[in-house]
Amino acid sequence: MARRMNRKMFYVAPFAIDGEPMGIGEVLLPSLSLDRIVSFQKLVEDHGGNFRVSLEGSLNHIEVKLTSASGAGLGAFYANGQLATSAMYLRGDEPEVEEQLIHMFLASLRNLRLVQECQSTLLPFENITKIKNRPIHFVVPIPDPRVSETDEELIYEVAAHFAAAFLCSERD
């Protein structure tokens, strides 16, 4: 059974691959598909807080990876095995856990060769540490010519619904 939604919105903070912020927006749950949110709630319930799984049906070439604890998580989305998007989810439950996760997220992004090749500052993505809005979905599309534009758009939609399921469901 799907969890009850205890929040009606979350923030989204997209970043470009060079580490520059692209603004902060609000995502209202009524703007998303409840069926998709419920399917991702079930995915998390079925697989726990740490998994990498392929989606079902026509989305079977899309994989979702989650590593989470204490209301915070790192996510990744793959198309045909290629990393397409990196994400972080923070509910605001445990600031100490979130701080550790932010440092892990920053290190993983900064270690990407593509980020190193196009970073626009000495410390790309540093603005992530300054954003205090919660709950929030940080998202970084990873450009890869092996990922089609159609799959990039699909993952954008999947990532938003997954974020809603993770950030807005009743807590454990």
Side-chain angles (χ1 to χ4, degrees), residues 49-102:
N50 300 293
F51 60 83
R52 180 174 173 172
V53 297
S54 293
L55 300 180
E56 296 180 357
S58 64
L59 300 178
N60 67 352
H61 67 293
I62 304 294
E63 293 174 87
V64 177
K65 180 179 179 181
L66 176 67
T67 304
S68 67
S70 302
L74 296 176
F77 297 86
Y78 300 82
N80 298 310
Q82 302 303 313
L83 178 63
T85 297
S86 188
M88 181 170 56
Y89 314 98
L90 305 176
R91 287 186 189 150
D93 295 347
E94 294 191 33
E96 300 82 22
V97 171
E98 288 186 1
E99 186 173 332
Q100 292 174 0
L101 200 66
I102 288 168

Side-chain angles (χ1 to χ4, degrees), residues 105-143:
F105 188 58
L106 292 175
S108 71
L109 290 169
R110 290 172 179 164
N111 284 330
L112 290 174
R113 190 177 57 143
L114 185 57
V115 170
Q116 294 169 356
E117 290 171 353
C118 65
Q119 70 188 50
S120 59
T121 64
L122 184 59
L123 294 173
F125 304 101
E126 190 63 22
N127 283 347
I128 287 173
T129 65
K130 298 174 179 135
I131 299 172
K132 303 303 178 198
N133 305 55
R134 301 292 186 267
I136 193 163
H137 171 215
F138 291 96
V139 60
V140 181
I142 311 295

